[in-house]
Amino acid sequence: MNDTITLALSKGRIFEETLPLLAAAGIEVGEDPEKSRKLILPTNRPDVRVVLVRATDVPTYVQYGGADLGVAGLDVLLEHAGGESATGLYQPLDLRIACCRMSVAARNDFDYAAAVQQGSRIRVATKYTHIARQHFADKGVHVDLIKLYGSMELAPLTGLADAIVDLVSTGSTLRANHLVEVEQIMPISSRLVVNQAALKLKRAALRPLIDAFAGAIPA
Ligand code: ATP
Ligand code: MG
């Protein structure tokens, strides 16, 4: 087990967009996670395997050594650390995959700028409470944060909240729900995360992998 390299990925866009980076390192995953029910996928390299975990669990697996390395969105990493930098977790590469942005969106009949200007308390629903709290604190905007676990777009439509903080890529989900992006908080992409102890103990195997990923990052 000690010679095996375990890579934690989440199904969907992160898995799909990591495949070309793996290919650049000479690694091919044997099975399609959408078709298989396996949670551990072998690769063409007997010493490399992929474990499939929830996107939000990738930092946890890597931090505690359940995986040697993994790929996670900056959103997930910031929420995982709760504003701190997680101990035992290196973030050596911005892989520039799964790109989107973290934004504030509101119902198109809610005057966000006026609410901010007047110093009103704004009710904001989000899954990303750490990022949201930090953003509004930096701006000096008073907010009541409401934690949700999904379908944030519904919150302003039902009167649960005035605004949301969520990931946006094309904006079509917002438009379909009569929401407008009123503020961009930060660009988001996925990062390679590496277990600090593993990098020491398995350096000879991990270093060439990390270098191959670095050389294959999209422009
Ligand atoms: P699930 O959708 O299964 O509940 P999830 O939302 O955590 O899980 P994904 O939707 O695959 O997982 O998102 C994984 C990562 O991809 C996010 O953490 C984020 O960094 C990025 N991402 C999310 N939505 C988009 C998007 N619309 N476009 C590009 N990247 C995105
Ligand atoms: Mg999702």
Side-chain angles (χ1 to χ4, degrees), residues 7-10 12-25 27 29 50 69-72 95 97-98 190-192 209 213 216 218:
L7 169 67
L9 296 176
S10 53
R13 57 171 63 86
I14 288 193
F15 182 86
E16 300 299 330
E17 297 187 33
T18 301
L19 286 182
L21 300 172
L22 287 172
I27 297 168
V29 183
V50 170
L69 66 180
V71 177
L95 300 173
I97 59 169
S190 284
R191 314 295 160 110
L192 184 70
L209 244 178
F213 287 168

PDB file of all heavy atoms in Angstrom, residues 7-10 12-25 27 29 50 69-72 95 97-98 190-192 209 213 216 218:
ATOM      1  N   LEU A   7      -5.203   8.858  -5.872  1.00  0.00           N
ATOM      2  CA  LEU A   7      -5.645  10.183  -6.327  1.00  0.00           C
ATOM      3  C   LEU A   7      -7.142  10.306  -6.089  1.00  0.00           C
ATOM      4  O   LEU A   7      -7.917   9.473  -6.570  1.00  0.00           O
ATOM      5  CB  LEU A   7      -5.333  10.328  -7.824  1.00  0.00           C
ATOM      6  CG  LEU A   7      -5.930  11.523  -8.573  1.00  0.00           C
ATOM      7  CD1 LEU A   7      -5.321  12.834  -8.089  1.00  0.00           C
ATOM      8  CD2 LEU A   7      -5.705  11.368 -10.086  1.00  0.00           C
ATOM      9  N   ALA A   8      -7.569  11.327  -5.347  1.00  0.00           N
ATOM     10  CA  ALA A   8      -8.997  11.538  -5.074  1.00  0.00           C
ATOM     11  C   ALA A   8      -9.596  12.510  -6.087  1.00  0.00           C
ATOM     12  O   ALA A   8      -9.093  13.613  -6.276  1.00  0.00           O
ATOM     13  CB  ALA A   8      -9.184  12.085  -3.662  1.00  0.00           C
ATOM     14  N   LEU A   9     -10.666  12.059  -6.752  1.00  0.00           N
ATOM     15  CA  LEU A   9     -11.374  12.894  -7.722  1.00  0.00           C
ATOM     16  C   LEU A   9     -12.868  12.813  -7.436  1.00  0.00           C
ATOM     17  O   LEU A   9     -13.337  11.839  -6.854  1.00  0.00           O
ATOM     18  CB  LEU A   9     -11.126  12.387  -9.156  1.00  0.00           C
ATOM     19  CG  LEU A   9      -9.698  12.447  -9.700  1.00  0.00           C
ATOM     20  CD1 LEU A   9      -9.646  11.817 -11.087  1.00  0.00           C
ATOM     21  CD2 LEU A   9      -9.201  13.895  -9.752  1.00  0.00           C
ATOM     22  N   SER A  10     -13.620  13.836  -7.885  1.00  0.00           N
ATOM     23  CA  SER A  10     -15.075  13.737  -7.828  1.00  0.00           C
ATOM     24  C   SER A  10     -15.597  13.469  -9.226  1.00  0.00           C
ATOM     25  O   SER A  10     -14.984  13.861 -10.222  1.00  0.00           O
ATOM     26  CB  SER A  10     -15.676  15.014  -7.248  1.00  0.00           C
ATOM     27  OG  SER A  10     -15.210  16.144  -7.958  1.00  0.00           O
ATOM     28  N   GLY A  12     -17.978  13.666 -12.560  1.00  0.00           N
ATOM     29  CA  GLY A  12     -18.489  14.836 -13.272  1.00  0.00           C
ATOM     30  C   GLY A  12     -17.360  15.658 -13.860  1.00  0.00           C
ATOM     31  O   GLY A  12     -16.367  15.110 -14.323  1.00  0.00           O
ATOM     32  N   ARG A  13     -17.521  16.986 -13.817  1.00  0.00           N
ATOM     33  CA  ARG A  13     -16.589  17.841 -14.561  1.00  0.00           C
ATOM     34  C   ARG A  13     -15.153  17.714 -14.076  1.00  0.00           C
ATOM     35  O   ARG A  13     -14.238  17.762 -14.884  1.00  0.00           O
ATOM     36  CB  ARG A  13     -17.036  19.304 -14.557  1.00  0.00           C
ATOM     37  CG  ARG A  13     -17.223  19.907 -13.190  1.00  0.00           C
ATOM     38  CD  ARG A  13     -17.443  21.405 -13.308  1.00  0.00           C
ATOM     39  NE  ARG A  13     -18.654  21.731 -14.037  1.00  0.00           N
ATOM     40  CZ  ARG A  13     -19.865  21.810 -13.488  1.00  0.00           C
ATOM     41  NH1 ARG A  13     -20.023  21.586 -12.209  1.00  0.00           N
ATOM     42  NH2 ARG A  13     -20.913  22.129 -14.201  1.00  0.00           N
ATOM     43  N   ILE A  14     -14.938  17.535 -12.774  1.00  0.00           N
ATOM     44  CA  ILE A  14     -13.549  17.439 -12.309  1.00  0.00           C
ATOM     45  C   ILE A  14     -12.893  16.166 -12.839  1.00  0.00           C
ATOM     46  O   ILE A  14     -11.768  16.196 -13.337  1.00  0.00           O
ATOM     47  CB  ILE A  14     -13.466  17.563 -10.769  1.00  0.00           C
ATOM     48  CG1 ILE A  14     -13.767  19.020 -10.412  1.00  0.00           C
ATOM     49  CG2 ILE A  14     -12.103  17.095 -10.247  1.00  0.00           C
ATOM     50  CD1 ILE A  14     -13.457  19.447  -9.022  1.00  0.00           C
ATOM     51  N   PHE A  15     -13.614  15.050 -12.763  1.00  0.00           N
ATOM     52  CA  PHE A  15     -13.069  13.804 -13.323  1.00  0.00           C
ATOM     53  C   PHE A  15     -12.768  13.984 -14.815  1.00  0.00           C
ATOM     54  O   PHE A  15     -11.653  13.704 -15.274  1.00  0.00           O
ATOM     55  CB  PHE A  15     -14.057  12.645 -13.116  1.00  0.00           C
ATOM     56  CG  PHE A  15     -13.544  11.331 -13.626  1.00  0.00           C
ATOM     57  CD1 PHE A  15     -12.742  10.522 -12.835  1.00  0.00           C
ATOM     58  CD2 PHE A  15     -13.848  10.905 -14.919  1.00  0.00           C
ATOM     59  CE1 PHE A  15     -12.256   9.307 -13.309  1.00  0.00           C
ATOM     60  CE2 PHE A  15     -13.357   9.698 -15.406  1.00  0.00           C
ATOM     61  CZ  PHE A  15     -12.564   8.893 -14.602  1.00  0.00           C
ATOM     62  N   GLU A  16     -13.771  14.475 -15.568  1.00  0.00           N
ATOM     63  CA  GLU A  16     -13.613  14.630 -17.026  1.00  0.00           C
ATOM     64  C   GLU A  16     -12.431  15.535 -17.376  1.00  0.00           C
ATOM     65  O   GLU A  16     -11.643  15.221 -18.263  1.00  0.00           O
ATOM     66  CB  GLU A  16     -14.883  15.236 -17.644  1.00  0.00           C
ATOM     67  CG  GLU A  16     -16.159  14.419 -17.443  1.00  0.00           C
ATOM     68  CD  GLU A  16     -16.078  13.030 -18.064  1.00  0.00           C
ATOM     69  OE1 GLU A  16     -15.370  12.890 -19.075  1.00  0.00           O
ATOM     70  OE2 GLU A  16     -16.715  12.103 -17.520  1.00  0.00           O
ATOM     71  N   GLU A  17     -12.334  16.660 -16.672  1.00  0.00           N
ATOM     72  CA  GLU A  17     -11.309  17.644 -17.033  1.00  0.00           C
ATOM     73  C   GLU A  17      -9.923  17.278 -16.494  1.00  0.00           C
ATOM     74  O   GLU A  17      -8.922  17.845 -16.919  1.00  0.00           O
ATOM     75  CB  GLU A  17     -11.738  19.057 -16.590  1.00  0.00           C
ATOM     76  CG  GLU A  17     -13.005  19.505 -17.320  1.00  0.00           C
ATOM     77  CD  GLU A  17     -13.380  20.961 -17.060  1.00  0.00           C
ATOM     78  OE1 GLU A  17     -12.488  21.798 -16.880  1.00  0.00           O
ATOM     79  OE2 GLU A  17     -14.609  21.239 -17.053  1.00  0.00           O
ATOM     80  N   THR A  18      -9.870  16.314 -15.561  1.00  0.00           N
ATOM     81  CA  THR A  18      -8.568  15.853 -15.062  1.00  0.00           C
ATOM     82  C   THR A  18      -7.978  14.774 -15.976  1.00  0.00           C
ATOM     83  O   THR A  18      -6.753  14.595 -16.015  1.00  0.00           O
ATOM     84  CB  THR A  18      -8.689  15.325 -13.609  1.00  0.00           C
ATOM     85  OG1 THR A  18      -9.187  16.377 -12.774  1.00  0.00           O
ATOM     86  CG2 THR A  18      -7.344  14.888 -13.042  1.00  0.00           C
ATOM     87  N   LEU A  19      -8.840  14.080 -16.737  1.00  0.00           N
ATOM     88  CA  LEU A  19      -8.354  12.994 -17.604  1.00  0.00           C
ATOM     89  C   LEU A  19      -7.208  13.414 -18.537  1.00  0.00           C
ATOM     90  O   LEU A  19      -6.211  12.687 -18.641  1.00  0.00           O
ATOM     91  CB  LEU A  19      -9.506  12.389 -18.418  1.00  0.00           C
ATOM     92  CG  LEU A  19     -10.490  11.488 -17.650  1.00  0.00           C
ATOM     93  CD1 LEU A  19     -11.542  10.922 -18.612  1.00  0.00           C
ATOM     94  CD2 LEU A  19      -9.766  10.358 -16.924  1.00  0.00           C
ATOM     95  N   PRO A  20      -7.309  14.581 -19.224  1.00  0.00           N
ATOM     96  CA  PRO A  20      -6.195  14.982 -20.097  1.00  0.00           C
ATOM     97  C   PRO A  20      -4.884  15.222 -19.333  1.00  0.00           C
ATOM     98  O   PRO A  20      -3.800  14.971 -19.868  1.00  0.00           O
ATOM     99  CB  PRO A  20      -6.684  16.287 -20.737  1.00  0.00           C
ATOM    100  CG  PRO A  20      -8.162  16.283 -20.578  1.00  0.00           C
ATOM    101  CD  PRO A  20      -8.469  15.488 -19.344  1.00  0.00           C
ATOM    102  N   LEU A  21      -4.999  15.715 -18.098  1.00  0.00           N
ATOM    103  CA  LEU A  21      -3.791  15.938 -17.292  1.00  0.00           C
ATOM    104  C   LEU A  21      -3.164  14.600 -16.913  1.00  0.00           C
ATOM    105  O   LEU A  21      -1.937  14.439 -16.933  1.00  0.00           O
ATOM    106  CB  LEU A  21      -4.135  16.737 -16.035  1.00  0.00           C
ATOM    107  CG  LEU A  21      -4.731  18.130 -16.269  1.00  0.00           C
ATOM    108  CD1 LEU A  21      -5.210  18.747 -14.959  1.00  0.00           C
ATOM    109  CD2 LEU A  21      -3.694  19.041 -16.917  1.00  0.00           C
ATOM    110  N   LEU A  22      -4.020  13.618 -16.580  1.00  0.00           N
ATOM    111  CA  LEU A  22      -3.523  12.274 -16.278  1.00  0.00           C
ATOM    112  C   LEU A  22      -2.854  11.667 -17.507  1.00  0.00           C
ATOM    113  O   LEU A  22      -1.791  11.046 -17.408  1.00  0.00           O
ATOM    114  CB  LEU A  22      -4.671  11.382 -15.798  1.00  0.00           C
ATOM    115  CG  LEU A  22      -5.207  11.667 -14.391  1.00  0.00           C
ATOM    116  CD1 LEU A  22      -6.460  10.852 -14.117  1.00  0.00           C
ATOM    117  CD2 LEU A  22      -4.139  11.361 -13.344  1.00  0.00           C
ATOM    118  N   ALA A  23      -3.491  11.865 -18.659  1.00  0.00           N
ATOM    119  CA  ALA A  23      -2.942  11.321 -19.909  1.00  0.00           C
ATOM    120  C   ALA A  23      -1.543  11.869 -20.160  1.00  0.00           C
ATOM    121  O   ALA A  23      -0.637  11.140 -20.595  1.00  0.00           O
ATOM    122  CB  ALA A  23      -3.870  11.640 -21.077  1.00  0.00           C
ATOM    123  N   ALA A  24      -1.356  13.160 -19.839  1.00  0.00           N
ATOM    124  CA  ALA A  24      -0.039  13.787 -20.021  1.00  0.00           C
ATOM    125  C   ALA A  24       1.001  13.133 -19.115  1.00  0.00           C
ATOM    126  O   ALA A  24       2.201  13.164 -19.412  1.00  0.00           O
ATOM    127  CB  ALA A  24      -0.126  15.281 -19.738  1.00  0.00           C
ATOM    128  N   ALA A  25       0.540  12.562 -18.014  1.00  0.00           N
ATOM    129  CA  ALA A  25       1.460  11.867 -17.103  1.00  0.00           C
ATOM    130  C   ALA A  25       1.528  10.376 -17.438  1.00  0.00           C
ATOM    131  O   ALA A  25       2.104   9.594 -16.683  1.00  0.00           O
ATOM    132  CB  ALA A  25       1.004  12.083 -15.658  1.00  0.00           C
ATOM    133  N   ILE A  27      -1.045   8.317 -17.600  1.00  0.00           N
ATOM    134  CA  ILE A  27      -1.990   7.539 -16.797  1.00  0.00           C
ATOM    135  C   ILE A  27      -3.361   7.499 -17.472  1.00  0.00           C
ATOM    136  O   ILE A  27      -3.923   8.533 -17.834  1.00  0.00           O
ATOM    137  CB  ILE A  27      -2.113   8.126 -15.376  1.00  0.00           C
ATOM    138  CG1 ILE A  27      -0.759   8.041 -14.666  1.00  0.00           C
ATOM    139  CG2 ILE A  27      -3.198   7.427 -14.570  1.00  0.00           C
ATOM    140  CD1 ILE A  27      -0.689   8.847 -13.392  1.00  0.00           C
ATOM    141  N   VAL A  29      -7.286   5.946 -16.956  1.00  0.00           N
ATOM    142  CA  VAL A  29      -8.202   5.324 -16.008  1.00  0.00           C
ATOM    143  C   VAL A  29      -8.996   4.251 -16.744  1.00  0.00           C
ATOM    144  O   VAL A  29      -9.495   4.483 -17.847  1.00  0.00           O
ATOM    145  CB  VAL A  29      -9.147   6.369 -15.379  1.00  0.00           C
ATOM    146  CG1 VAL A  29     -10.046   5.722 -14.332  1.00  0.00           C
ATOM    147  CG2 VAL A  29      -8.345   7.506 -14.753  1.00  0.00           C
ATOM    148  N   VAL A  50      -7.407   5.598  -8.584  1.00  0.00           N
ATOM    149  CA  VAL A  50      -8.252   6.771  -8.391  1.00  0.00           C
ATOM    150  C   VAL A  50      -9.364   6.398  -7.427  1.00  0.00           C
ATOM    151  O   VAL A  50      -9.989   5.340  -7.576  1.00  0.00           O
ATOM    152  CB  VAL A  50      -8.846   7.230  -9.745  1.00  0.00           C
ATOM    153  CG1 VAL A  50      -9.927   8.297  -9.537  1.00  0.00           C
ATOM    154  CG2 VAL A  50      -7.746   7.764 -10.664  1.00  0.00           C
ATOM    155  N   LEU A  69      -3.048  12.592  -3.198  1.00  0.00           N
ATOM    156  CA  LEU A  69      -3.313  13.849  -3.884  1.00  0.00           C
ATOM    157  C   LEU A  69      -4.739  13.857  -4.418  1.00  0.00           C
ATOM    158  O   LEU A  69      -5.413  12.821  -4.427  1.00  0.00           O
ATOM    159  CB  LEU A  69      -2.268  14.157  -4.963  1.00  0.00           C
ATOM    160  CG  LEU A  69      -2.098  13.334  -6.225  1.00  0.00           C
ATOM    161  CD1 LEU A  69      -0.979  13.924  -7.074  1.00  0.00           C
ATOM    162  CD2 LEU A  69      -1.786  11.893  -5.935  1.00  0.00           C
ATOM    163  N   GLY A  70      -5.183  15.035  -4.826  1.00  0.00           N
ATOM    164  CA  GLY A  70      -6.561  15.144  -5.299  1.00  0.00           C
ATOM    165  C   GLY A  70      -6.745  16.425  -6.075  1.00  0.00           C
ATOM    166  O   GLY A  70      -5.829  17.244  -6.168  1.00  0.00           O
ATOM    167  N   VAL A  71      -7.936  16.568  -6.660  1.00  0.00           N
ATOM    168  CA  VAL A  71      -8.275  17.777  -7.404  1.00  0.00           C
ATOM    169  C   VAL A  71      -9.551  18.353  -6.791  1.00  0.00           C
ATOM    170  O   VAL A  71     -10.552  17.644  -6.667  1.00  0.00           O
ATOM    171  CB  VAL A  71      -8.480  17.477  -8.901  1.00  0.00           C
ATOM    172  CG1 VAL A  71      -8.902  18.738  -9.658  1.00  0.00           C
ATOM    173  CG2 VAL A  71      -7.195  16.897  -9.512  1.00  0.00           C
ATOM    174  N   ALA A  72      -9.484  19.632  -6.395  1.00  0.00           N
ATOM    175  CA  ALA A  72     -10.639  20.259  -5.746  1.00  0.00           C
ATOM    176  C   ALA A  72     -10.770  21.705  -6.190  1.00  0.00           C
ATOM    177  O   ALA A  72      -9.769  22.395  -6.421  1.00  0.00           O
ATOM    178  CB  ALA A  72     -10.485  20.203  -4.228  1.00  0.00           C
ATOM    179  N   LEU A  95      -4.771  24.183 -11.637  1.00  0.00           N
ATOM    180  CA  LEU A  95      -4.880  23.350 -12.852  1.00  0.00           C
ATOM    181  C   LEU A  95      -5.666  24.039 -13.971  1.00  0.00           C
ATOM    182  O   LEU A  95      -5.706  23.547 -15.100  1.00  0.00           O
ATOM    183  CB  LEU A  95      -5.530  22.007 -12.509  1.00  0.00           C
ATOM    184  CG  LEU A  95      -4.771  21.149 -11.481  1.00  0.00           C
ATOM    185  CD1 LEU A  95      -5.596  19.924 -11.094  1.00  0.00           C
ATOM    186  CD2 LEU A  95      -3.407  20.728 -12.030  1.00  0.00           C
ATOM    187  N   ILE A  97      -8.758  24.179 -14.570  1.00  0.00           N
ATOM    188  CA  ILE A  97      -9.904  23.412 -15.085  1.00  0.00           C
ATOM    189  C   ILE A  97     -11.126  23.733 -14.228  1.00  0.00           C
ATOM    190  O   ILE A  97     -10.996  24.333 -13.168  1.00  0.00           O
ATOM    191  CB  ILE A  97      -9.627  21.892 -15.088  1.00  0.00           C
ATOM    192  CG1 ILE A  97      -9.324  21.392 -13.680  1.00  0.00           C
ATOM    193  CG2 ILE A  97      -8.475  21.565 -16.040  1.00  0.00           C
ATOM    194  CD1 ILE A  97      -9.296  19.875 -13.570  1.00  0.00           C
ATOM    195  N   ALA A  98     -12.302  23.312 -14.700  1.00  0.00           N
ATOM    196  CA  ALA A  98     -13.575  23.577 -14.007  1.00  0.00           C
ATOM    197  C   ALA A  98     -13.654  25.054 -13.608  1.00  0.00           C
ATOM    198  O   ALA A  98     -13.905  25.397 -12.454  1.00  0.00           O
ATOM    199  CB  ALA A  98     -13.745  22.655 -12.804  1.00  0.00           C
ATOM    200  N   SER A 190      -9.971  24.758 -10.426  1.00  0.00           N
ATOM    201  CA  SER A 190      -9.608  23.638  -9.550  1.00  0.00           C
ATOM    202  C   SER A 190      -8.105  23.577  -9.316  1.00  0.00           C
ATOM    203  O   SER A 190      -7.304  23.936 -10.185  1.00  0.00           O
ATOM    204  CB  SER A 190     -10.118  22.319 -10.123  1.00  0.00           C
ATOM    205  OG  SER A 190     -11.505  22.221  -9.895  1.00  0.00           O
ATOM    206  N   ARG A 191      -7.740  23.117  -8.148  1.00  0.00           N
ATOM    207  CA  ARG A 191      -6.351  23.057  -7.710  1.00  0.00           C
ATOM    208  C   ARG A 191      -5.940  21.622  -7.451  1.00  0.00           C
ATOM    209  O   ARG A 191      -6.759  20.814  -7.012  1.00  0.00           O
ATOM    210  CB  ARG A 191      -6.167  23.845  -6.398  1.00  0.00           C
ATOM    211  CG  ARG A 191      -6.823  25.225  -6.396  1.00  0.00           C
ATOM    212  CD  ARG A 191      -6.158  26.090  -7.420  1.00  0.00           C
ATOM    213  NE  ARG A 191      -6.974  27.226  -7.832  1.00  0.00           N
ATOM    214  CZ  ARG A 191      -6.707  28.480  -7.530  1.00  0.00           C
ATOM    215  NH1 ARG A 191      -5.675  28.781  -6.786  1.00  0.00           N
ATOM    216  NH2 ARG A 191      -7.461  29.454  -7.999  1.00  0.00           N
ATOM    217  N   LEU A 192      -4.654  21.347  -7.679  1.00  0.00           N
ATOM    218  CA  LEU A 192      -4.098  20.083  -7.228  1.00  0.00           C
ATOM    219  C   LEU A 192      -3.783  20.225  -5.747  1.00  0.00           C
ATOM    220  O   LEU A 192      -3.182  21.223  -5.337  1.00  0.00           O
ATOM    221  CB  LEU A 192      -2.828  19.747  -8.014  1.00  0.00           C
ATOM    222  CG  LEU A 192      -2.212  18.383  -7.689  1.00  0.00           C
ATOM    223  CD1 LEU A 192      -3.103  17.256  -8.214  1.00  0.00           C
ATOM    224  CD2 LEU A 192      -0.817  18.265  -8.286  1.00  0.00           C
ATOM    225  N   LEU A 209       4.829  13.080 -11.334  1.00  0.00           N
ATOM    226  CA  LEU A 209       3.398  13.239 -11.616  1.00  0.00           C
ATOM    227  C   LEU A 209       2.993  14.713 -11.574  1.00  0.00           C
ATOM    228  O   LEU A 209       2.330  15.228 -12.481  1.00  0.00           O
ATOM    229  CB  LEU A 209       2.624  12.502 -10.520  1.00  0.00           C
ATOM    230  CG  LEU A 209       1.777  11.311 -10.909  1.00  0.00           C
ATOM    231  CD1 LEU A 209       1.144  10.689  -9.669  1.00  0.00           C
ATOM    232  CD2 LEU A 209       0.703  11.760 -11.865  1.00  0.00           C
ATOM    233  N   PHE A 213       1.625  17.090 -14.658  1.00  0.00           N
ATOM    234  CA  PHE A 213       0.398  17.899 -14.572  1.00  0.00           C
ATOM    235  C   PHE A 213       0.714  19.355 -14.893  1.00  0.00           C
ATOM    236  O   PHE A 213       0.013  19.990 -15.680  1.00  0.00           O
ATOM    237  CB  PHE A 213      -0.210  17.842 -13.164  1.00  0.00           C
ATOM    238  CG  PHE A 213      -0.878  16.548 -12.806  1.00  0.00           C
ATOM    239  CD1 PHE A 213      -1.246  16.287 -11.493  1.00  0.00           C
ATOM    240  CD2 PHE A 213      -1.159  15.589 -13.762  1.00  0.00           C
ATOM    241  CE1 PHE A 213      -1.878  15.100 -11.138  1.00  0.00           C
ATOM    242  CE2 PHE A 213      -1.790  14.396 -13.422  1.00  0.00           C
ATOM    243  CZ  PHE A 213      -2.140  14.152 -12.115  1.00  0.00           C
ATOM    244  N   ALA A 216       0.949  20.235 -18.449  1.00  0.00           N
ATOM    245  CA  ALA A 216      -0.235  19.990 -19.281  1.00  0.00           C
ATOM    246  C   ALA A 216      -1.402  20.924 -18.949  1.00  0.00           C
ATOM    247  O   ALA A 216      -2.496  20.770 -19.485  1.00  0.00           O
ATOM    248  CB  ALA A 216      -0.677  18.538 -19.120  1.00  0.00           C
ATOM    249  N   PRO A 218      -4.010  23.703 -19.132  1.00  0.00           N
ATOM    250  CA  PRO A 218      -4.489  24.474 -20.284  1.00  0.00           C
ATOM    251  C   PRO A 218      -4.134  25.954 -20.164  1.00  0.00           C
ATOM    252  O   PRO A 218      -4.055  26.486 -19.061  1.00  0.00           O
ATOM    253  CB  PRO A 218      -6.014  24.283 -20.244  1.00  0.00           C
ATOM    254  CG  PRO A 218      -6.333  23.644 -18.938  1.00  0.00           C
ATOM    255  CD  PRO A 218      -5.097  23.049 -18.394  1.00  0.00           C
TER     256      PRO A 218
END
